[in-house]
Amino acid sequence: MRAILRGGLVDDSALTNEYLDELLAVGKRPGYASVARAVYGTLPSLVAARSVYPRVTVPVNLVYGEHDWSRASDRDANNRALPGAEFVQIPDAGHFLSLEKPAVIAALLDRSAVGEDHETGR
């Protein structure tokens, strides 16, 4: 598992032993295998979902690491398909942004929350 997860990181130090231990413990919980199979079973529908992206009417932040596992052409296609999406590419980061760049992700979420509050008055 460590080798797979490291493949999604630019900074290997972001993958701590404590986090890896937690992932392994979660995977041993009763019922986890059923949940994992169900998630994997949805993968084709996740790819097919792009066909409905043009109907999205809410604000979208499309965030990728510079070295994400996705292809640049897929990222661009998602960005083009989502009307008004804000495309953000995080430099020197891989696929697991919340592990590798948690402060950057937190700042993006904070910025989004402030924007929503400003627009809705909440």
Side-chain angles (χ1 to χ4, degrees):
M1 181 175 287
R2 180 181 298 280
I4 292 169
L5 292 175
R6 276 190 174 161
L9 298 168
V10 172
D11 177 8
D12 288 346
S13 71
L15 182 60
T16 65
N17 288 333
E18 294 81 12
Y19 181 74
L20 192 57
D21 289 345
E22 180 66 21
L23 286 179
L24 294 171
V26 166
K28 293 176 184 173
R29 289 185 181 150
Y32 181 82
S34 297
V35 171
R37 279 192 300 277
V39 169
Y40 298 139
T42 67
L43 291 178
S45 68
L46 295 175
V47 172
R50 188 182 291 155
S51 67
V52 297
Y53 285 1
R55 298 190 311 224
V56 172
T57 59
V58 297
V60 173
N61 289 319
L62 197 55
V63 183
Y64 292 98
E66 178 182 16
H67 303 283
D68 192 89
W69 282 339
S70 64
R71 295 179 301 218
S73 59
D74 288 334
R75 294 179 227 170
D76 291 338
N78 289 338
N79 189 36
R80 284 192 310 274
L82 286 159
E86 180 180 349
F87 182 87
V88 179
Q89 185 165 279
I90 308 301
D92 300 318
H95 183 75
F96 300 113
L97 293 171
S98 59
L99 281 178
E100 203 162 30
K101 303 283 185 176
V104 173
I105 298 304
L108 287 169
L109 290 170
D110 283 345
R111 190 180 76 194
S112 293
V114 168
E116 288 175 13
D117 289 346
H118 177 69
E119 292 173 17
T120 63
R122 292 186 217 160

